[in-house]
Amino acid sequence: MSIIKREGLPHFVVKKNLQKSGTRGIYFSDVVTEEVLRDVCLKITGQMEFTCEYVDNSYHDPFLDATYNKGRLAILHVEDTVCYISFSEREIGGRNSSVQSVPTAFNLFYLNPYPNKRLFYYFLNVAGNAETAYQRLIYRLMRTIGFTFLNASPSLEQISSPFTSAEDIILNRKVNADRNRSNNSTYLTKGTDGALEVYGKTYGANKYETSLICYALACLRRPEQRIRLYEVLEGNLKELPEASLRVIRKMGGIDVVRTGMTLEKRNYQENKSLRSPLYIYNLLRRLGNKHCALCGCEIPEIIQGAHVWPVSKIKKAPGLTPEQRLEYALDGENGLWLCENHHKLFDENLLSFDQDGSVRLREGLDERYANYIQEITKIQSLPQSMLTKRFLWYLEQRSLSVS
Ligand SMILES: [Zn+2]
């Protein structure tokens, strides 16, 4: 324990080593130099005089564990205030590299019980191309959860305003996801019960994004609002890092639900799968945010995932292995988004689709009913992009099982 405050000057403690310093020969102390610290000190305290110590992995105090530098952090003691300053990379290039250390820094800050603490972010490269739509989203999330940017350019400051509501994040995320659907993104929507739903991969680079989105939602959550995080697991179960889960639990209001093939299989076999999160995730991935394919309605609370080949029929179809049945039941191509009205009309076979994607009403339907359906069905034909071979095959199975 050696938090030394010489002559009452602001005092920095900085872990020298990054995780890979040993093999890469790049030390945090080479990047966050005394010159950088002077600027940080000036911006936080208004004075340039300070003391600092760069410490080894074995060093520990109430704010730093005996490990390498996690979260690209420097700790600054100013009288009885403790400042956590996280630093960007020098090159803010990749989609993910610049984000990685942010949730880690936040976790350390948030979980520390010391009351008089503050959280900052310092850009080591202000001039770099850091203002892509994705970066903007991340910066806005950071400011939402309480990061103060020490040296953002006025333009960056302006475009990274904190989010004001969970809905605000959903709408912004939608723009992002629509553009990048092929990426394994974190998806945000609302369930039919009005709960906020986060569908996120919880390993690899996605875990950082998923964590940040959850933190921001928890900060903005109204008291009556529920949030569900669906951890989409693949293969060996990999949950969010323990520190992130601890933060989520401490913030409160978020239910963490694990989902993945193994779990869905068990639910399916035990006949428990009334609503499958993995199916919804697959639809989000294939079709983007919830929107009725037949009327364009985007109100997520009344949009549902509609199976083309219904699960009840898949269960009864002859000659299939259990694995095949599960695969068809969860396949994003075996479905479309429909509002509650259109879903019911589709389920009751009052309307169906031809192989060219155009809407067909049931023959002999009362004219008044037909007129009503025509009226609410603003979109008379599914987009070409939806009519994959597999989708059409499901459509065929549907008509076979219906007739
Ligand atoms: Zn509709």
Side-chain angles (χ1 to χ4, degrees):
M1 304 292 168
S2 63
I3 302 171
I4 319 146
K5 280 189 279 179
R6 280 163 228 147
E7 303 142 356
L9 287 177
H11 182 67
F12 284 97
V13 186
V14 185
K15 288 266 179 177
K16 207 158 37 179
N17 299 322
L18 293 166
Q19 187 177 12
K20 288 170 183 161
S21 284
T23 49
R24 289 193 185 159
I26 301 167
Y27 296 88
F28 197 59
S29 48
D30 298 337
V31 183
V32 177
T33 57
E34 287 198 31
E35 205 187 321
V36 172
L37 293 180
R38 182 162 295 115
D39 191 39
V40 171
C41 185
L42 181 64
K43 289 196 158 64
I44 293 179
T45 69
Q47 68 177 87
M48 287 167 82
E49 293 289 300
F50 66 94
T51 54
C52 74
E53 55 184 322
Y54 291 98
V55 295
D56 287 320
N57 292 11
S58 60
Y59 172 91
H60 61 97
D61 66 23
F63 306 97
L64 292 167
D65 292 334
T67 172
Y68 57 85
N69 192 322
K70 288 185 174 170
R72 297 180 65 82
L73 273 177
I75 301 290
L76 172 64
H77 299 265
V78 191
E79 295 172 359
D80 62 350
T81 302
V82 174
C83 305
Y84 286 70
I85 306 113
S86 185
F87 293 82
S88 76
E89 307 264 342
R90 260 194 300 206
E91 310 285 332
I92 305 177
R95 183 175 117 104
N96 300 308
S97 67
S98 57
V99 180
Q100 290 190 11
S101 50
V102 173
T104 308
F106 182 79
N107 293 349
L108 290 168
F109 168 80
Y110 189 80
L111 293 172
N112 193 295
Y114 187 75
N116 199 3
K117 56 187 177 177
R118 304 209 37 204
L119 183 61
F120 296 98
Y121 195 71
Y122 188 91
F123 292 90
L124 286 173
N125 176 1
V126 218
N129 172 28
E131 301 183 11
T132 63
Y134 180 77
Q135 293 291 355
R136 261 204 307 277
L137 170 76
I138 297 299
Y139 295 149
R140 294 192 68 188
L141 290 171
M142 287 171 65
R143 289 191 58 196
T144 306
I145 64 176
F147 277 94
T148 298
F149 292 169
L150 285 172
N151 62 338
S153 65
S155 64
L156 182 63
E157 194 74 32
Q158 204 180 2
I159 58 173
S160 61
S161 57
F163 288 106
T164 53
S165 68
E167 286 75 10
D168 195 13
I169 302 181
I170 294 181
L171 284 174
N172 188 282
R173 183 67 202 148
K174 172 182 145 57
V175 177
N176 245 294
D178 283 355
R179 236 178 268 141
N180 278 315
R181 207 172 300 147
S182 56
N183 289 337
N184 289 332
S185 296
T186 306
Y187 299 98
L188 262 178
T189 186
K190 273 188 178 177
T192 45
D193 63 351
L196 296 162
E197 295 183 333
V198 183
Y199 293 82
K201 295 260 174 93
T202 50
Y203 50 89
N206 273 86
K207 63 175 178 268
Y208 306 111
E209 190 183 330
T210 302
S211 300
L212 276 182
I213 287 176
C214 286
Y215 301 166
L217 288 177
C219 288
L220 295 170
R221 184 180 76 90
R222 293 187 295 273
E224 76 286 1
Q225 220 164 18
R226 297 305 303 169
I227 307 173
R228 275 191 297 269
L229 162 64
Y230 292 105
E231 294 187 289
V232 182
L233 312 163
E234 272 173 17
N236 292 331
L237 304 184
K238 281 185 192 134
E239 280 200 284
L240 277 185
E242 181 50 35
S244 296
L245 286 172
R246 277 176 61 204
V247 169
I248 285 171
R249 278 195 292 269
K250 195 174 165 198
M251 289 183 130
I254 303 186
D255 298 323
V256 181
V257 185
R258 296 197 294 168
T259 186
M261 275 314 258
T262 319
L263 293 165
E264 295 274 1
K265 191 174 173 184
R266 201 186 307 146
N267 288 344
Y268 183 86
Q269 280 162 353
E270 292 170 4
N271 241 332
K272 284 203 311 204
S273 183
L274 295 170
R275 205 178 291 148
S276 156
L278 194 54
Y279 180 61
I280 299 297
Y281 172 79
N282 288 336
L283 287 175
L284 285 166
R285 207 162 127 167
R286 174 166 128 84
L287 302 168
N289 262 41
K290 290 180 166 183
H291 60 283
C292 177
L294 295 178
C295 66
C297 169
E298 292 185 349
I299 303 165
E301 289 94 328
I302 61 163
I303 308 291
Q304 302 168 334
H307 278 92
V308 175
W309 191 16
V311 177
S312 58
K313 306 289 183 191
I314 294 173
K315 286 192 171 181
K316 284 186 219 145
L320 296 176
T321 64
E323 284 73 22
Q324 282 173 315
R325 291 180 208 279
L326 184 66
E327 186 198 326
Y328 299 150
L330 296 177
D331 189 354
E333 290 193 84
N334 181 17
L336 65 168
W337 293 129
L338 291 176
C339 69
E340 290 186 4
N341 273 349
H342 278 118
H343 192 179
K344 188 73 178 161
L345 291 168
F346 183 54
D347 272 359
E348 298 298 327
N349 294 301
L350 292 169
L351 68 80
S352 57
F353 299 101
D354 285 328
Q355 287 280 312
D356 67 355
S358 55
V359 173
R360 176 162 33 98
L361 298 191
R362 184 153 85 196
E363 275 176 48
L365 195 63
D366 186 292
E367 201 185 309
R368 283 167 301 174
Y369 292 0
N371 286 342
Y372 175 75
I373 297 174
Q374 295 286 4
E375 220 169 278
I376 65 162
T377 308
K378 282 187 249 161
I379 303 162
Q380 289 284 330
S381 176
L382 298 176
Q384 279 302 313
S385 58
M386 267 182 74
L387 305 176
T388 57
K389 238 169 111 179
R390 216 166 152 86
F391 180 85
L392 295 174
W393 181 78
Y394 285 120
L395 209 53
E396 213 179 300
Q397 301 310 306
R398 178 187 183 83
S399 59
L400 288 176
S401 63
V402 163
S403 55

